[in-house]
Amino acid sequence: MTTPTPAHSPGPLERARSDPAYSAFLLLRIGFTVLPIAMGLDKFTNVLTTWEDYLAPWIVDLSPLDAHDTMLVVGVIEIVAGIAVAIKPRYAAYIVAAWLAGIVINLLTYPGFYDIALRDFGLMLGALTLGRLAYVYDPAWHRHTVPSANLAAA
């Protein structure tokens, strides 16, 4: 006689092996978590590049901060965006896509960085794709409402 076992739900890796769309969701979620955090941290160290060089002069003119301090703020925003994608990609992916659209606009208004603008446009499409996949694989946050019958009893 065999003992019944509880229903086995596959783990994320098992699911990624069997469901290509879930695998794509997982890869994009990891990428859009790790990369913004890494780029944001690099704004404080400038190990990969001198980030101020990518900031269009008109943005520096608009900012109340100098170029370096503006990029530090950008770094904080990128770190927060990466954490948000880790927590709730269903919503944060669209924030990251909007952020990347801003970066594309910055780069298109500053000659010499059109190739990087094109790359970031591709990243923006990836963030939008993550948002669409998250619609399927990341459940929505629902507001808890008190049923009207309970209100009468109160």
Side-chain angles (χ1 to χ4, degrees), residues 15-45:
R15 188 173 180 189
R17 278 191 220 111
S18 64
D19 181 353
Y22 181 75
S23 177
F25 165 75
L26 201 57
L27 285 170
L28 288 168
R29 184 178 189 175
I30 292 166
F32 281 106
T33 295
V34 174
L35 294 175
I37 292 171
M39 296 299 99
L41 289 172
D42 196 61
K43 301 295 187 294
F44 293 88
T45 61

Side-chain angles (χ1 to χ4, degrees), residues 14-138:
E14 209 173 296
R15 188 173 180 189
R17 278 191 220 111
S18 64
D19 181 353
Y22 181 75
S23 177
F25 165 75
L26 201 57
L27 285 170
L28 288 168
R29 184 178 189 175
I30 292 166
F32 281 106
T33 295
V34 174
L35 294 175
I37 292 171
M39 296 299 99
L41 289 172
D42 196 61
K43 301 295 187 294
F44 293 88
T45 61
N46 286 328
V47 169
L48 297 175
T49 190
T50 305
W51 292 101
E52 294 84 14
D53 294 345
Y54 294 94
L55 196 56
W58 67 271
I59 293 179
V60 176
D61 293 342
L62 286 175
S63 176
L65 306 171
D66 65 13
H68 176 74
D69 289 339
T70 298
M71 291 312 287
L72 294 180
V73 171
V74 166
V76 170
I77 292 169
E78 289 173 340
I79 292 166
V80 170
I83 292 168
V85 168
I87 295 168
K88 203 68 184 160
R90 181 184 190 106
Y91 308 117
Y94 295 107
I95 295 168
V96 170
W99 180 251
L100 286 161
I103 292 171
V104 168
I105 290 167
N106 166 70
L107 293 170
L108 288 176
T109 62
Y110 193 26
F113 296 107
Y114 302 131
D115 56 334
I116 298 169
L118 183 61
R119 178 209 59 200
D120 286 352
F121 181 77
L123 288 171
M124 182 186 71
L125 294 178
L128 291 170
T129 303
L130 173 60
R132 291 298 297 148
L133 288 168
Y135 182 79
V136 174
Y137 296 108
D138 185 34

